[in-house]
Amino acid sequence: MQSLTNRAKLLEKKPMTLAERAYLPAIFQGLTITMRHFLRAMRKQQLTIRYPEETRPFSPVFRGLHVLKRDEAGRERCTACGLCAVACPAEAITMVAGERLKGEANLYREEKYAVSYEINMLRCIFCGLCEEACPKAAIYLQADKMAPPRYERDEFIYGKDRLVEPTDPAKRSKRGIQLTDEQATKLSGQLQPA
Amino acid sequence: MTLPVLGWQGLVILVVFGATLLIATYSTYAERVIAAFLQDRVGPDRAGPYGLAQPLADAVKMFTKEEFFPGGASRALFVFGPCLAMTTALMSSAVIPFGNSLKFGDTVIHLQGIEINVGMLYVFGMVSLGVYGIMIGGWASNNKFSLLGAIRAASQNISYELAMGLALIAVLMMSGSLSLRDITLQQSVPGEWQFWNIVKQPIGFIIFLVCAFAETNRTPFDLPECETELVGGYHTEYSSMKLGLYLFSEYINIFVASAVMSVLYFGGFNFPFQYELRDWLVSSRGLSADLAQNIIVLVGVGGMFAKIFAFIFFFMWVRWTLPRFRYDQLMRLGWTILIPLAIFNILLTGGLITAGIIPAVRQWWLG
Ligand code: SF4
Ligand code: SF4
């Protein structure tokens, strides 16, 4: 039959030669191939990444575990506006707002602050919409940390104790999406009443 | 035999028993590491240094798993099957000579469980009995996949035992003895050039090797436990340590098959220039003849185990290289290729012996 496309290939099924029927040459060939891989593995050239001792490099835009940022003076930025919770498609964020008392101005940046702030990491899909929604640059997804596995479900509900970054600036997450100095000044200029 | 000798012999038997179990245990580890390395992976490396405690972890896992009896299974036979497989596998290592005799004054200790003059037949008998373990287990499971696996195991073993026995006959025709110790000793005679049987019986060795793969149910002939067709073959219904016994007996069988091949074709505990080494120890090191002999015996034990480990490695190397045969291919290979080839090998050997060609060739080779 004339093929229309001329792309058909005629397959010839030849009877096996004696060497092929004896299996041994082919087996020997196969053995040398696997031995090459064996020797390569002996020289420790496997591509395996031995997690958790070794980890892959994270992408700089990786969206990992959340962090609640502090400002330059070490005060919590979050003002419990709830925009992140509204933006969250997975409804993972809950918070209770409270009013800043006298003498707490060194703790909270705004007059209204989050008394409790919880993210359920089992619900969260790490989309980063909370980060985009936040008007106070308070919540970020770190690029170098993941929510680690745990045994109990309630351990996945992260409160402020685990979300707010340490007061010591040196201990804060260096990686991840950070404000440049320029952005920070601009932002603080907008927000601070003149 | 006096009592102390019996005591020593008992100790040797215990050591052989322990060594067999230890090697089988670490074969499970070696299998994983080798499999991993052949496939560019890392293999078990978590339990202990280099993962060496992995077999212990496996044993704990096996022992603590649920003991499951399928409905409608014959309970007694279901337990009996793995026990039989394990027992026969362990018994077959008894006659293998792991070393020559150690001599302390008048006490002579054979480094062999028991020396019997039908050693080879004994091994064959035990290996054939091992099939009953698989048969009984497969039948008692009340599962059609198990039964099919068991039937496959039985017919495969019968087919390949024939070719194996025929390959062996050619060796026996040259040695004139069924004792594994005699066969070993004949492969190295002091004061004359003597070659290992592999040189004299290359065809026989290849047949024996192929059959050994089939007898131990290893890939490419692991049809009895063919996962793609039979779920798990004869041990589909087994769990916990009963499954462990089956897997373990497979590794013991590999060990025994490796030992038998080393003895039959690779000179057993002999190593090249052993008598020269002994004479050198005596003449230029001034050791007593007994001590020198004992030293080369111990080196010989090391050599024997090196050969065994090489074979075990080869078993695993082949397993992770080749795909499984189809059942009809397996049968065709056994009946239409290996058996005629083995018969041809017997005729060839017989002809060469009758014509006196082997001694003549040796004469010519030595000038
Ligand atoms: S990352 Fe997405 S899902 Fe997770 S808390 Fe933020 S908005 Fe919700
Ligand atoms: S994290 Fe940002 S968006 Fe969420 S409540 Fe605090 S200030 Fe508002």
Side-chain angles (χ1 to χ4, degrees):
Chain A
M1 190 182 78
Q2 177 68 42
S3 104
L4 292 176
T5 56
N6 276 334
R7 282 200 302 250
K9 287 215 176 71
L10 195 62
L11 268 185
E12 236 182 305
K13 201 176 169 197
K14 282 182 254 152
M16 290 203 284
T17 62
L18 183 68
E20 281 166 348
R21 268 184 296 146
Y23 294 120
L24 290 178
I27 288 176
F28 187 75
Q29 203 183 357
L31 287 176
T32 53
I33 292 173
T34 42
M35 184 41 81
R36 266 210 301 282
H37 286 268
F38 185 82
L39 293 178
R40 197 162 78 190
M42 289 288 275
R43 293 197 301 271
K44 299 233 174 298
Q45 290 176 351
Q46 299 100 326
L47 299 176
T48 313
I49 292 167
R50 282 159 223 241
Y51 188 83
E53 288 93 55
E54 292 169 24
T55 44
R56 289 179 161 216
F58 283 84
S59 150
V61 294
F62 180 79
R63 298 192 296 264
L65 194 64
H66 306 68
V67 64
L68 282 175
K69 302 290 284 182
R70 292 176 187 276
D71 67 358
E72 316 72 46
R75 298 173 298 183
E76 287 174 23
R77 302 188 77 115
C78 174
T79 185
C81 65
L83 285 179
C84 52
V86 174
C88 178
E91 305 204 349
I93 305 179
T94 54
M95 74 197 70
V96 176
E99 197 178 341
R100 185 177 73 184
L101 301 178
K102 261 207 180 70
E104 283 180 340
N106 58 334
L107 295 179
Y108 309 110
R109 187 185 168 95
E110 314 288 343
E111 277 167 16
K112 182 175 160 234
Y113 75 99
V115 179
S116 92
Y117 188 103
E118 283 177 350
I119 301 181
N120 186 339
M121 294 299 170
L122 287 177
R123 296 196 68 121
C124 173
I125 55 172
F126 300 95
C127 59
L129 289 184
C130 46
E131 180 182 308
E132 280 180 32
C134 182
K136 297 284 173 190
I139 190 160
Y140 280 101
L141 272 64
Q142 285 153 288
D144 58 349
K145 257 197 207 134
M146 289 194 274
R150 301 195 179 266
Y151 287 109
E152 303 295 336
R153 278 175 169 260
D154 49 5
E155 289 176 25
F156 281 99
I157 298 173
Y158 277 54
K160 274 180 79 176
D161 50 335
R162 286 189 285 175
L163 286 173
V164 180
E165 65 180 358
T167 21
D168 180 4
K171 288 208 187 112
R172 294 183 193 167
S173 170
K174 289 283 170 298
R175 300 186 49 194
I177 301 161
Q178 304 265 343
L179 288 184
T180 61
D181 288 345
E182 190 187 329
Q183 285 170 325
T185 33
K186 198 171 146 216
L187 207 58
S188 55
Q190 279 175 3
L191 296 172
Q192 230 90 63
Chain B
M1 248 188 213
T2 54
L3 208 57
V5 175
L6 269 184
W8 281 114
Q9 217 57 60
L11 193 67
V12 171
I13 291 177
L14 272 186
V15 169
V16 168
F17 179 69
T20 311
L21 284 179
L22 187 74
I23 290 175
T25 313
Y26 273 90
S27 295
T28 62
Y29 168 75
E31 173 110 79
R32 291 165 179 210
V33 173
I34 290 171
F37 278 20
L38 288 173
Q39 299 173 344
D40 291 335
R41 290 185 286 116
V42 177
D45 67 344
R46 294 290 145 150
Y50 299 103
L52 280 173
Q54 190 64 42
L56 295 179
D58 289 343
V60 170
K61 184 199 88 173
M62 285 286 189
F63 273 113
T64 49
K65 279 215 163 174
E66 185 193 351
E67 185 109 42
F68 177 76
F69 287 94
S74 156
R75 261 181 111 91
L77 288 182
F78 192 71
V79 177
F80 184 59
C83 298
L84 186 68
M86 186 71 179
T87 316
T88 51
L90 275 172
M91 277 166 77
S92 46
S93 66
V95 293
I96 290 165
F98 289 101
N100 209 336
S101 317
L102 285 175
K103 224 190 215 160
F104 300 107
D106 292 338
T107 325
V108 177
I109 305 159
H110 294 313
L111 294 182
Q112 181 179 8
I114 32 167
E115 158 65 10
I116 49 176
N117 56 10
V118 288
M120 199 54 236
L121 278 188
Y122 173 87
V123 173
F124 259 60
M126 280 305 146
V127 170
S128 326
L129 267 184
V131 186
Y132 283 90
I134 295 177
M135 277 290 283
I136 289 173
W139 185 80
S141 302
N142 189 28
N143 174 324
K144 50 182 169 293
F145 294 118
S146 302
L147 185 60
L148 275 175
I151 291 171
R152 280 184 174 192
S155 58
Q156 168 179 333
N157 278 30
I158 290 170
S159 314
Y160 278 77
E161 239 159 52
L162 280 179
M164 200 180 201
L166 290 175
L168 186 68
I169 284 178
V171 175
L172 301 183
M173 279 161 68
M174 295 195 316
S175 71
S177 166
L178 275 168
S179 153
L180 287 171
R181 195 178 148 77
D182 285 351
I183 295 176
T184 314
L185 289 176
Q186 280 173 7
Q187 294 182 56
S188 181
V189 181
E192 61 176 277
W193 271 93
Q194 195 64 332
F195 295 108
W196 291 347
N197 281 341
I198 173 74
V199 181
K200 303 174 188 167
Q201 287 289 343
I203 305 178
F205 171 66
I206 289 175
I207 298 169
F208 198 95
L209 185 69
V210 174
C211 296
F213 275 93
E215 287 284 301
T216 49
N217 299 332
R218 291 288 292 189
T219 322
F221 306 124
D222 62 343
L223 276 300
E225 45 194 279
C226 172
E227 301 89 358
T228 41
E229 299 157 23
L230 295 182
V231 191
Y234 60 90
H235 53 53
T236 305
E237 293 288 357
Y238 279 90
S239 60
S240 142
M241 203 53 205
K242 293 203 291 306
L243 173 67
L245 287 184
Y246 269 132
L247 302 182
F248 224 67
S249 65
E250 179 181 322
Y251 285 105
I252 297 176
N253 280 331
I254 292 171
F255 168 67
V256 172
S258 304
V260 168
M261 280 191 286
S262 316
V263 168
L264 287 180
Y265 293 97
F266 282 86
F269 50 72
N270 295 308
F271 57 95
F273 304 112
Q274 49 182 343
Y275 300 112
E276 285 79 354
L277 177 65
R278 182 185 64 187
D279 295 341
W280 178 79
L281 281 175
V282 172
S283 60
S284 37
R285 289 281 145 160
L287 301 182
S288 72
D290 273 4
L291 186 56
Q293 173 68 20
N294 285 349
I295 288 176
I296 70 158
V297 166
L298 289 181
V299 176
V301 173
M304 175 79 179
F305 276 99
K307 288 169 196 173
I308 292 176
F309 292 149
F311 270 115
I312 292 179
F313 176 77
F314 184 71
F315 268 97
M316 293 172 180
W317 184 12
V318 168
R319 166 163 182 190
W320 297 100
T321 302
L322 297 183
R324 187 181 287 127
F325 270 52
R326 220 169 48 212
Y327 200 67
D328 61 318
Q329 292 172 330
L330 171 91
M331 281 298 160
R332 189 175 320 131
L333 179 72
W335 287 96
T336 68
I337 300 179
L338 290 182
I339 291 181
L341 200 62
I343 292 175
F344 167 74
N345 188 38
I346 291 177
L347 293 178
L348 188 70
T349 314
L352 291 182
I353 290 175
T354 323
I357 285 182
I358 291 175
V361 169
R362 195 158 77 218
Q363 279 306 318
W364 170 81
W365 170 259
L366 300 174

